[in-house]
Amino acid sequence: MTDAGAANSDSPSAELPTVTAISLTGTIKVRTTEQGLPVALRVDPAELHRDPAHLANEVLRLCQRAANRAGLEKRRQMEALGASAATLALSGLPTEAEVRRLEQVEEQDYDMEPRSWLRTL
């Protein structure tokens, strides 16, 4: 796999908490900030032969998935600290059911099947 855009220690985003999302095929891995901004990207060389628009859409989809999961984790942390239901509602952070629903819709709307079950070892 090749690294592109990996954050270095001089980067301000290197100090922020990050979340990782991986494609179903395992050939694309994106590490983002809690807001979904990518700080590291790993792409299997075979993926570089895809249509660039499809590859970009997959990266953006993974960034959104990571942001949703980070929001859910932040909500869980707030719940554990005793935040009220009203505070959680005002936070705008997604619930587990919302994240699950978003991921199901995403999988239905997006071609999630691998192009081939054969992978290079």
Side-chain angles (χ1 to χ4, degrees):
M1 295 186 126
T2 58
D3 265 338
N8 61 37
S9 59
D10 299 330
S11 165
S13 61
E15 297 156 9
L16 298 173
T18 59
V19 182
T20 300
I22 302 171
S23 65
L24 287 179
T25 59
T27 56
I28 302 172
K29 180 178 179 181
V30 179
R31 186 166 44 100
T32 73
T33 64
E34 291 180 321
Q35 293 78 29
L37 300 172
V39 294
L41 173 65
R42 291 183 55 103
V43 179
D44 187 278
E47 290 291 333
L48 299 176
H49 299 290
R50 289 175 71 176
D51 174 25
H54 289 216
L55 181 58
N57 286 337
E58 176 76 356
V59 170
L60 289 174
R61 185 185 67 74
L62 291 171
C63 288
Q64 183 62 49
R65 178 173 276 204
N68 288 337
R69 290 180 179 175
L72 176 59
E73 184 57 34
K74 177 78 78 178
R75 182 185 191 94
R76 287 177 179 155
Q77 290 171 356
M78 289 177 68
E79 287 173 339
L81 293 172
S84 69
T87 300
L88 292 170
L90 288 173
S91 74
L93 296 170
T95 64
E96 189 168 342
E98 289 170 335
V99 170
R100 192 174 326 122
R101 183 185 52 78
L102 288 169
E103 289 183 3
Q104 287 172 347
V105 167
E106 165 193 301
E107 289 174 8
Q108 291 170 356
D109 289 346
Y110 194 80
D111 180 16
M112 299 296 288
E113 294 183 18
R115 289 168 292 151
S116 170
W117 293 104
L118 300 175
R119 292 193 55 200
T120 328
L121 298 176

